[in-house]
Amino acid sequence: TRLYGWLHDYQITVFESTPALIVPFMDHIESQGLDISSLRLLITSSDSCSVRDYRRLQERFGSQVRIINAYGVTEAAIDSSFYDEPLAKLPAVGSVPIGKAWLNARFYIVDAHLNPVPVGVAGELCIGGPGVARGYLNRQELTSEKFVVNPYIAGERLYRTGDLARWMADGNVDFIGRIDHQVKIRGYRIELGEIETVMLRFADVKQAVVIDLADEQGNKYLAGYAVCAEELDLSALQTYLQQSLPSHMVPSRLMALATMPLTPNGKLNRKALPVPEESVFAGADYVAPRTTVEQTLAIIWQAVLGVRSVGIWDNFFELGGDSIKALQVSSRL
């Protein structure tokens, strides 16, 4: 209410903020029938905006206000690109593209050696142009790491964003996620953003996040979190992911949340995500071991996999098993 009061009293024309703030704020505007006639431009930025939320904003307010999605970093003068395409070009699911470089910025998507990658191939997004900062004050080592010589334009610097992105066929850029959100589990390098995109395709999932955690034995596993409009059937979601992803990319544990935890500035706070409880462990319906052999196997699986209970229909690999853990089971048997 106070935010709307400022917008109305000062006749604000441009409003830019995170999707986590803009989406509920505009829901409030619509539900209360409030006047936003002063507003000319609405910009979602500073965090990924889901296609679902962006489409709803466009369908409800696009005739009154120009709505675009922005991307940028402080090291390159904040907003460096805008996605401003007709609604028909919006992807069906996932996150809204970050668009094309704007005015004083140039985009490069490169491999680890700063070589450009082809269209559709993921690489690190680097920013060039006069908007790039000189470096970090009194932090020469970090400056040398993140601000590098542009191999394509003499005398220019590139800022290595640490963001993973890919060129789309129409020249827009698709933001995938942070490079430090790449994880390696059971020998596989996994892009967490790709799993999140698949989760967003399921039923009424509004938001999805995947992180890697470690069990009591220090073994890594994938945990998936979803915010859904209705009560979420975790078993059905797990089945869908098994059908849509390679087995090593299917989260071992799933959890439904009412809302995602946010930082004070409205961005997703991954560190505040709760550890999924055993009750939401992805797996088959629990059927207790019946015979002495089954009970012995269950005890060994529990010890090796770091889980509190194992049923006779549980899948070893869905519970976090791999070839190394299989050898541990064999030796204990």
Side-chain angles (χ1 to χ4, degrees):
T1 301
R2 289 170 59 193
L3 180 58
Y4 173 74
W6 293 328
L7 186 149
H8 180 268
D9 294 346
Y10 293 98
Q11 292 293 286
I12 300 301
T13 57
V14 179
F15 179 29
E16 177 173 2
S17 189
T18 63
L21 186 150
I22 284 181
V23 172
F25 176 70
M26 297 305 285
D27 284 342
H28 173 73
I29 294 291
E30 183 182 47
S31 66
Q32 299 299 313
L34 301 176
D35 174 37
I36 55 169
S37 57
S38 68
L39 198 60
R40 296 288 181 268
L41 179 61
L42 183 66
I43 307 173
T44 57
S45 67
S46 301
D47 207 350
S48 295
C49 182
S50 73
V51 167
R52 184 191 299 270
D53 286 340
Y54 190 77
R55 185 180 296 279
R56 285 178 59 235
L57 287 174
Q58 290 283 8
E59 290 174 346
R60 289 184 297 167
F61 302 102
S63 61
Q64 308 170 55
V65 182
R66 183 183 178 190
I67 304 172
I68 61 178
N69 189 49
Y71 166 87
V73 293
T74 303
E75 293 88 345
I78 312 298
D79 287 345
S80 298
S81 70
F82 296 103
Y83 181 78
D84 186 15
E85 300 285 356
L87 197 56
K89 293 190 65 176
L90 194 65
V93 294
S95 297
V96 182
I98 60 174
K100 301 174 181 177
W102 182 249
L103 294 180
N104 62 342
R106 281 185 286 272
F107 276 4
Y108 305 84
I109 301 179
V110 300
D111 62 18
H113 305 288
L114 297 182
N115 296 313
V117 298
V119 172
V121 174
E124 183 178 8
L125 177 60
C126 296
I127 303 176
V132 175
R134 296 182 180 182
Y136 299 105
L137 182 63
N138 298 327
R139 301 192 66 183
Q140 185 56 46
E141 185 176 344
L142 183 60
T143 296
S144 299
E145 175 189 346
K146 303 295 288 185
F147 293 86
V148 298
V149 174
N150 186 341
Y152 308 105
I153 298 180
E156 185 175 281
R157 292 180 312 284
L158 287 182
Y159 173 66
R160 304 187 68 157
T161 66
D163 289 334
L164 201 63
R166 57 188 158 212
W167 290 111
M168 302 172 69
D170 61 2
N172 282 295
V173 172
D174 181 25
F175 174 82
I176 300 173
R178 293 289 300 168
I179 288 179
D180 52 17
H181 290 165
Q182 288 180 321
V183 299
K184 194 169 186 179
I185 295 180
R186 285 178 266 163
Y188 294 99
R189 187 166 296 280
I190 299 170
E191 307 288 356
L192 299 180
E194 294 184 359
I195 305 174
E196 294 166 357
T197 297
V198 174
M199 289 180 66
L200 287 170
R201 295 174 185 158
F202 179 77
D204 294 321
V205 172
K206 297 169 60 179
Q207 294 175 277
V209 177
V210 178
I211 61 174
D212 65 315
L213 295 173
D215 60 21
E216 290 83 354
Q217 283 79 34
N219 300 309
K220 281 189 175 183
Y221 66 89
L222 296 176
Y225 303 82
V227 173
C228 195
E230 306 293 337
E231 185 175 350
L232 182 60
D233 185 338
L234 292 173
S235 178
L237 174 57
Q238 180 211 9
T239 300
Y240 173 77
L241 294 176
Q242 289 173 330
Q243 295 170 346
S244 306
L245 290 167
S247 59
H248 65 273
M249 294 179 68
V250 178
S252 297
R253 303 188 187 186
L254 298 170
M255 188 173 189
L257 299 176
T259 59
M260 292 292 180
L262 303 175
T263 62
N265 60 0
K267 295 184 179 182
L268 174 67
N269 187 353
R270 291 174 179 265
K271 294 182 179 179
L273 288 166
V275 176
E277 299 176 358
E278 188 73 19
S279 60
V280 295
F281 203 100
D285 292 338
Y286 179 76
V287 177
R290 301 156 299 185
T291 66
T292 302
V293 172
E294 289 178 353
Q295 291 170 357
T296 301
L297 284 167
I299 291 171
I300 293 174
W301 278 30
Q302 287 167 210
V304 171
L305 297 173
V307 298
R308 289 194 291 271
S309 64
V310 171
I312 64 172
W313 299 119
D314 283 331
N315 184 296
F316 181 75
F317 296 100
E318 289 176 9
L319 295 179
D322 53 34
S323 58
I324 294 176
K325 293 179 182 178
L327 289 173
Q328 294 175 16
V329 168
S330 178
S331 65
R332 295 189 186 204
L333 287 172

